[in-house]
Amino acid sequence: MLLRDRTAIVTGGGSGIGREIALTFAREGARVCIADINIESARAAVEEITRTLQIPAMAVAMDVSDEASVDFGVTAMTAAWDRVDILVSNAGVQHIEAIADLSLANWRRILDVHLDGAFLTTRACMRRMKAARSGTILYMGSVHSKVASPLKAPYVTAKHGLIGLCKAVAKEGAEFGIRANVICPGFVRTPLVERQIPEQAAALGISEEDVVRKVMLKETVDGEFTTTEDVAAVALMLASFPSNALTGQSIIVSHGWHME
């Protein structure tokens, strides 16, 4: 097992990409703390892990944009398991609206979750990782960490910002054995993306089918959505990578939507 005897905390781990990563890590032997603002979804994911895999798991309620909530959740994890080896900063939200119509409150809400959340969880976990002189931090970016799309200004800004944070963490963490990388998925058919389809159809004046075919999947090589399993496989590879040879990088998982 690639992650035997290691511990991981996955934010937004109660559903979608986060849940798939949590399950994948557990299958590879990791004890997983699932942190989610929806504690019931976190508990359901923990129940699935403990029932099907007989691997220890725990759920914590966490609003990643709230300092006290983050610190409480990470403290609860380390109190139970005495360490945090892997952080997956995955929690995210979306907002579809033209810049000229966008309120400051909606702008700040997206940045609060993606950037403040990444910073707060990084800080809390990095303090423990520095003491242990070992750790892996994975940020859930997006192809929108690399390119822009209309109607998504705060999301694009936040996802670009994660790459800068990752690079800074990789530089500061290296002497303590801490690696940091960003995963940049294309469109994954999670509840977050499902909500975008009618929103974009209304904003662009096109059908929902055209949003999928002509907007979301237009630039892919095969017209396919990226899957949660695709993203989890990359997360596992990065979490189990054995050296600092792979740090400060952003890995695109998008069926060729964006290539570098």
Side-chain angles (χ1 to χ4, degrees):
M1 290 185 175
L2 293 174
L3 301 179
R4 185 187 297 276
D5 298 327
R6 299 177 73 184
T7 67
I9 183 167
V10 182
T11 69
S15 62
I17 291 171
R19 186 181 183 122
E20 190 65 39
I21 291 173
L23 289 168
T24 298
F25 283 10
R27 291 186 196 105
E28 291 294 335
R31 292 170 289 171
V32 181
C33 175
I34 297 177
D36 204 291
I37 198 167
N38 183 338
I39 188 61
E40 293 308 318
S41 67
R43 287 171 177 157
V46 164
E47 192 279 331
E48 181 177 356
I49 289 170
T50 56
R51 174 175 47 82
T52 63
L53 300 173
Q54 288 77 55
I55 295 288
M58 64 183 293
V60 296
M62 184 181 290
D63 175 355
V64 297
S65 67
D66 181 84
E67 183 176 19
S69 179
V70 170
D71 289 343
F72 180 85
V74 174
T75 298
M77 176 188 175
T78 54
W81 294 335
D82 197 36
R83 59 192 292 177
V84 53
D85 298 305
I86 303 162
L87 163 65
V88 182
S89 178
N90 167 77
V93 292
Q94 179 60 283
H95 184 81
I96 305 297
E97 193 169 15
I99 293 171
D101 301 321
L102 185 65
S103 70
L104 181 59
N106 282 327
W107 168 269
R108 285 178 171 164
R109 182 174 69 92
I110 302 302
L111 269 64
D112 283 351
V113 172
H114 291 275
L115 286 182
D116 290 356
F119 161 68
L120 290 170
T121 53
T122 295
R123 187 183 66 179
C125 292
M126 204 168 176
R127 287 168 174 167
R128 277 82 171 179
M129 291 174 177
K130 285 177 70 174
R133 302 194 70 82
S134 177
T136 298
I137 297 174
L138 302 179
Y139 300 102
M140 194 55 60
S142 166
V143 168
H144 286 109
S145 297
K146 307 282 189 172
V147 300
S149 293
L151 308 178
K152 297 181 180 181
Y155 185 84
V156 170
T157 301
K159 292 300 190 183
H160 273 66
L162 288 178
I163 290 182
L165 175 61
C166 172
K167 290 178 178 179
V169 171
K171 290 288 189 181
E172 288 191 24
E175 67 176 293
F176 302 101
I178 300 169
R179 297 183 299 107
N181 291 288
V182 184
I183 304 170
C184 298
F187 283 104
V188 181
R189 203 142 192 179
T190 62
L192 186 70
V193 168
E194 290 287 357
R195 287 193 293 272
Q196 289 180 54
I197 295 173
E199 290 173 348
Q200 289 205 53
L204 297 172
I206 60 178
S207 69
E208 293 186 15
E209 180 183 354
D210 280 346
V211 169
V212 171
R213 186 166 54 91
K214 296 181 179 180
V215 177
M216 291 183 169
L217 304 181
K218 178 183 177 182
E219 301 299 332
T220 63
V221 298
D222 53 11
E224 296 290 338
F225 280 97
T226 302
T227 67
T228 57
E229 292 82 2
D230 294 331
V231 181
V234 174
L236 176 61
M237 182 272 291
L238 291 171
S240 61
F241 198 81
S243 77
N244 278 340
L246 188 52
T247 192
Q249 303 302 309
S250 50
I251 310 298
I252 301 168
V253 193
S254 70
H255 286 250
W257 167 18
H258 182 70
M259 301 182 188
E260 290 187 334

